[in-house]
């Protein structure tokens, strides 16, 4: 077999996550041959820089997948649902960031630090990447599970507005501009009344001077889709179909980087010193935990970095089998583009030229 480096197509190259992906492709070891950039017809013809080279963006059609070995999809659900099977039918291995295929029995859901081998078995030619909320959590919790045996998770997320794409960021910035320098936030409903309908927002309530305890869509019985995703995806990734998970997802006025408060209960008794050792050496994790010295992760410190940062690690006061901790992870990097890139690189390693 002739050695060659595989070709790559980036679908959604002009979006927020696509922009991060292009940075990663330029920063990581170059395992790719030809790289093609694909987006909607309105973005076709634009030129973007990848690996120091200007590449013209192509419109999304069936023909763009001819000869492509790996196609990463960084697009909304409806685009992935239509076009990912097309790319797979053309012979490309698809790595998809949408929610469409995550829970399909015949599509592996992969976090390379935890279950990279799962990416090898792909009967539909598709590998899924988890949601940004799950990815902010799972590399740290997965490392602890390997040692102590995870039994239950209780999670509260503090999610950045970029989880709603560029529209979420634009809404927060516009709201902040309108409330800055005012006395708003001191009377019931004054922020909502002041903003009225002047801001085009994807959120159920103002995010400026506020938090919004709803992320995603209605999943029934009072749960949001993001909350159900943390439960369902964690079960699938860790191979724990009966894992008990309770999650509450909240948007906060942060541009990028999700934070999470985690209460994890294990089968075996835990010790903080051993948990520190595990987290300090776990791939994709940075331990930053000395609260007396002011050392703990915050979104403004973690944004733009690749790992999940972990701090405030402590044993439960009332349960020697439980740990509490605080995590931060950039939702556009490990929470989206980076995990997709890592999966794609895992697939690329199957080619004899890599």
């Amino acid at each position: 077999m002739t050695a060659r480096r595989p070709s790559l197509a980036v679908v959604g190259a002009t979006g927020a996550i696509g922009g991060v992906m292009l940075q990663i492709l330029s920063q990581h070891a170059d395992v790719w041959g030809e790289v093609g950039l694909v987006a909607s017809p309105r973005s076709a013809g634009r030129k973007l820089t990848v690996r120091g080279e200007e590449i013209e963006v192509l419109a999304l059609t069936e023909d763009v997948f001819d000869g492509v070995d790996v196609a990463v999809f960084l697009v909304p659900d409806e685009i992935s649902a239509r076009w990912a099977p097309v790319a797979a039918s053309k012979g490309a291995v698809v790595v998809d960031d949408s929610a469409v295929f995550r829970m399909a029995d015949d599509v592996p859901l992969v976090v390379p630090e935890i279950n990279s081998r799962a990416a090898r078995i792909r009967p539909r030619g598709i590998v899924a990447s988890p949601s940004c909320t799950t990815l902010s959590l799972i590399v740290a919790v997965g490392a602890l599970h390997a040692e102590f045996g995870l039994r239950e998770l209780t999670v509260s997320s503090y999610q950045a507005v970029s989880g709603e794409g560029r529209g979420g960021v634009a809404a927060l910035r516009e709201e902040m501009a309108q409330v800055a320098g005012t006395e708003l936030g001191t009377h019931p409903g004054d922020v909502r009344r002041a903003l009225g309908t002047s801001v085009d927002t994807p959120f159920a309530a103002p995010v400026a001077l506020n938090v919004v305890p709803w992320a995603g869509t209605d999943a029934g019985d009072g749960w949001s889709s993001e909350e159900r995703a943390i439960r369902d995806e964690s079960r699938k990734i860790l191979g724990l179909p009966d894992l008990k998970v309770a999650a509450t997802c909240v948007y906060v006025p942060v541009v990028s980087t999700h934070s999470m408060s985690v209460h994890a209960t294990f089968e075996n008794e835990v010790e903080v010193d051993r948990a520190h050792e595990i987290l300090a050496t776990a791939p994709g994790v940075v331990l930053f935990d000395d609260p007396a010295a002011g050392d703990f992760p915050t979104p403004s410190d973690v944004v733009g970095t690749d790992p999940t940062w972990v701090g405030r690690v402590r044993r439960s006061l009332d349960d020697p089998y439980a740990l509490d901790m605080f995590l931060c992870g950039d939702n556009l990097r490990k929470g989206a583009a980076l995990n997709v890139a890592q999966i794609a690189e895992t697939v690329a390693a199957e080619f004899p030229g890599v």
Side-chain angles (χ1 to χ4, degrees), residues 275-328:
H276 273 176
E277 291 176 4
I278 295 164
L279 294 168
T281 57
V285 177
V286 169
L287 179 67
F288 190 54
D289 190 16
D290 186 359
D295 292 342
F296 40 73
T298 69
S300 63
D301 296 321
V302 170
V303 63
T305 66
D306 287 345
T308 291
W309 293 63
V310 186
R312 299 297 320 279
V313 181
R314 57 212 188 273
R315 192 162 82 164
S316 172
L317 293 174
D318 303 310
D319 186 354
Y321 292 83
L323 285 172
D324 291 273
M325 66 198 86
F326 190 78
L327 317 175
C328 290

Side-chain angles (χ1 to χ4, degrees), residues 212-224:
V212 182
W214 185 258
T217 57
D218 187 352
D221 298 324
W223 295 95
S224 77

Side-chain angles (χ1 to χ4, degrees), residues 81-226:
R82 177 182 175 187
W83 288 99
V86 172
S89 72
K90 293 269 190 170
V93 177
V94 171
V95 183
D96 182 51
D97 189 51
S98 81
V100 174
F101 305 102
R102 288 172 184 157
M103 299 313 300
D105 290 338
D106 54 357
V107 174
L109 184 64
V110 175
V111 180
E113 293 89 343
I114 297 173
N115 65 340
S116 62
R117 291 184 179 180
R120 300 176 185 174
I121 304 172
R122 39 182 190 265
R124 294 173 65 179
I126 300 172
V127 183
S129 184
S131 68
C132 53
T133 45
T134 301
L135 280 166
S136 297
L137 161 81
I138 202 68
V139 289
V141 169
L144 294 169
H145 163 63
E147 175 80 6
F148 300 120
L150 185 63
R151 192 171 76 225
E152 296 182 23
L153 274 177
T154 301
V155 178
S156 293
S157 71
Y158 311 92
Q159 295 183 207
V161 296
S162 54
E164 287 288 344
R166 287 176 172 162
V169 176
L172 174 61
R173 294 198 185 281
E174 178 60 26
E175 289 179 0
M176 290 174 63
Q178 293 194 33
V179 302
T182 71
E183 296 297 319
L184 292 170
T186 58
H187 296 90
D190 60 355
V191 174
R192 190 189 294 268
R193 287 193 299 273
L195 295 174
T197 59
S198 62
V199 177
D200 183 13
T201 178
F203 303 109
V207 183
L209 305 180
N210 205 18
V211 300
V212 182
W214 185 258
T217 57
D218 187 352
D221 298 324
W223 295 95
S224 77
S225 58
E226 297 239 356

Side-chain angles (χ1 to χ4, degrees), residues 2-275:
T2 303
R4 67 176 182 85
R5 293 193 296 173
S7 57
L8 175 72
V10 180
V11 183
T14 59
I17 300 172
V20 177
M21 176 62 75
L22 301 191
Q23 295 175 17
I24 291 170
L25 291 174
S26 299
Q27 294 164 351
H28 280 204
D30 191 3
V31 301
W32 302 106
E34 183 179 353
V35 174
L37 307 183
V38 183
S40 64
R42 68 177 180 274
S43 296
R46 290 180 56 184
K47 291 187 176 181
L48 302 174
T49 301
V50 187
R51 305 183 297 181
E53 176 187 356
E54 276 199 343
I55 299 177
E56 184 174 330
V57 177
L58 303 176
L60 179 55
T61 65
E62 290 191 21
D63 294 343
V64 299
F65 300 112
D66 290 341
V68 170
D69 295 307
V70 180
V72 298
F73 277 70
L74 310 168
V75 293
D77 290 1
E78 61 273 16
I79 304 299
S80 283
R82 177 182 175 187
W83 288 99
V86 172
S89 72
K90 293 269 190 170
V93 177
V94 171
V95 183
D96 182 51
D97 189 51
S98 81
V100 174
F101 305 102
R102 288 172 184 157
M103 299 313 300
D105 290 338
D106 54 357
V107 174
L109 184 64
V110 175
V111 180
E113 293 89 343
I114 297 173
N115 65 340
S116 62
R117 291 184 179 180
R120 300 176 185 174
I121 304 172
R122 39 182 190 265
R124 294 173 65 179
I126 300 172
V127 183
S129 184
S131 68
C132 53
T133 45
T134 301
L135 280 166
S136 297
L137 161 81
I138 202 68
V139 289
V141 169
L144 294 169
H145 163 63
E147 175 80 6
F148 300 120
L150 185 63
R151 192 171 76 225
E152 296 182 23
L153 274 177
T154 301
V155 178
S156 293
S157 71
Y158 311 92
Q159 295 183 207
V161 296
S162 54
E164 287 288 344
R166 287 176 172 162
V169 176
L172 174 61
R173 294 198 185 281
E174 178 60 26
E175 289 179 0
M176 290 174 63
Q178 293 194 33
V179 302
T182 71
E183 296 297 319
L184 292 170
T186 58
H187 296 90
D190 60 355
V191 174
R192 190 189 294 268
R193 287 193 299 273
L195 295 174
T197 59
S198 62
V199 177
D200 183 13
T201 178
F203 303 109
V207 183
L209 305 180
N210 205 18
V211 300
V212 182
W214 185 258
T217 57
D218 187 352
D221 298 324
W223 295 95
S224 77
S225 58
E226 297 239 356
E227 292 159 352
R228 287 294 300 267
I230 293 174
R231 172 181 177 266
D232 297 342
E233 294 171 13
S234 295
R235 286 178 164 188
K236 185 172 181 179
I237 295 162
L238 297 175
L240 297 173
D242 298 319
L243 179 67
K244 295 180 180 180
V245 181
T248 300
C249 292
V250 181
Y251 275 117
V252 298
V254 169
V255 173
S256 288
T257 298
H258 290 350
S259 305
M260 307 186 87
S261 175
V262 179
H263 178 83
T265 305
F266 299 93
E267 298 288 349
N268 300 302
E269 189 169 339
V270 296
E271 292 292 343
V272 170
D273 287 347
R274 180 57 184 146

